[in-house]
Amino acid sequence: MTDSSARIRLITFDLDDTLWPVGPVIIRAEHRMRDFLDTHAPEVNRRFDRDALNALREDILSKQPELLHDISGLRHRIVEATLEACGYADAPGLAAGAFAAFIDARHDIEYFEDALDTLEHLSRRYTLGALSNGNASVARLGLDRYFAFHLSAEGVGRRKPHPAMFERALQEAGVGSEAAVHVGDHAEDDIRGAHQVGMGTVWVNRSGTPWELDDLVPTWEICDLKQLAELF
Ligand SMILES: [Mg+2]
């Protein structure tokens, strides 16, 4: 343990692309949703290509901007709107089925090989929290055995890097920002977000990308999560 980590009590983690790679998961989940629609409401996939879906998304967000912080609600509303546009009588029921197909596949993840051992190790000595803009459920993944709490953008009503996410985490754990560190892959959402409330920051840079922000740097940079056990 280094001097700078000696007083750490809370470590918060980003989820997507920090504990598991998310790109392939979302692609597979979107395929599952399209498969569901092919079976139960085939007109939707015929009428709505990627451009049409993007236009619909923008239209919905212009009318319900609060959905920007609720990606599950937004995805659900988009598919419901496509079903309505195609004239399906049971649009709400079909939308629920299509969204369920998506969210089931959303939890079919493969952890980075260093993730679970690291959480297990750190959870014995620190309070761990999960802070995510995404819609993975910590409880559904069984990660609640490591995390004392999980805050989502949907629940807080603000997305990282908004300070509300990080301030809520400090409240949940009952610690000051000087006793807390956030771990994540995203320069803005994770590192700037945590930095602006005074938390320490660990940038998870698995691909060796150059740091991109001019006005701040992460407290620590690591290329795999095992290094956390050396830091803390
Ligand atoms: Mg991430």
Side-chain angles (χ1 to χ4, degrees):
M1 187 184 288
T2 62
D3 285 351
S4 48
S5 64
R7 56 211 155 84
I8 296 300
R9 291 169 55 202
L10 167 68
I11 304 177
T12 56
F13 283 83
D14 171 53
L15 299 179
D16 291 327
D17 283 333
T18 294
L19 299 185
W20 57 79
V22 75
V25 175
I26 298 296
I27 290 169
R28 201 163 53 226
E30 289 185 335
H31 277 140
R32 298 273 173 79
M33 189 160 98
R34 290 181 71 81
D35 290 347
F36 176 94
L37 292 168
D38 269 338
T39 303
H40 299 282
E43 192 62 18
V44 169
N45 290 340
R46 277 199 283 274
R47 292 222 351 225
F48 286 89
D49 61 9
R50 176 67 59 186
D51 288 346
L53 288 172
N54 285 340
L56 182 61
R57 180 180 189 278
E58 293 310 311
D59 182 54
I60 288 170
L61 279 175
S62 72
K63 292 170 187 153
Q64 296 175 267
E66 70 280 5
L67 287 177
L68 195 59
H69 308 293
D70 176 6
I71 58 167
S72 289
L74 177 60
R75 191 176 285 279
H76 198 133
R77 181 62 204 126
I78 289 169
V79 70
E80 189 171 39
T82 63
L83 288 155
E84 288 164 357
C86 294
Y88 286 102
D90 183 22
L94 288 166
F99 183 74
F102 175 88
I103 209 75
D104 285 351
R106 175 75 169 88
H107 291 85
D108 184 9
I109 58 163
E110 276 183 47
Y111 293 98
F112 290 119
E113 56 95 23
D114 47 21
L116 294 180
D117 287 349
T118 301
L119 292 175
E120 160 73 27
H121 174 80
L122 293 174
S123 68
R124 285 189 230 130
R125 293 181 46 200
Y126 300 95
T127 299
L128 304 188
L131 298 186
S132 179
N133 287 345
N135 49 10
S137 161
V138 157
R140 184 163 175 176
L141 292 169
L143 291 175
D144 47 358
R145 65 186 182 276
Y146 306 124
F147 289 118
F149 60 89
H150 172 210
L151 302 177
S152 65
E154 192 177 321
V156 173
R158 288 286 184 275
R159 296 175 64 78
K160 295 180 294 181
H162 195 283
M165 286 280 275
F166 299 92
E167 286 163 354
R168 185 76 66 83
L170 297 173
Q171 284 169 14
E172 285 282 341
V175 305
S177 61
E178 73 290 345
V181 168
H182 178 69
V183 181
D185 68 289
H186 199 283
E188 282 290 338
D189 292 353
D190 294 307
I191 307 306
R192 185 186 299 286
H195 174 85
Q196 70 192 342
V197 303
M199 291 171 70
T201 55
V202 179
W203 183 41
V204 184
N205 179 19
R206 291 178 187 273
S207 56
T209 316
W211 179 249
E212 63 191 53
L213 303 180
D214 292 331
D215 57 336
L216 66 110
V217 291
T219 320
W220 294 278
E221 177 179 336
I222 60 177
C223 62
D224 72 57
L225 295 177
K226 283 195 202 94
Q227 290 174 270
L228 287 174
E230 295 155 23
L231 287 175
F232 305 115

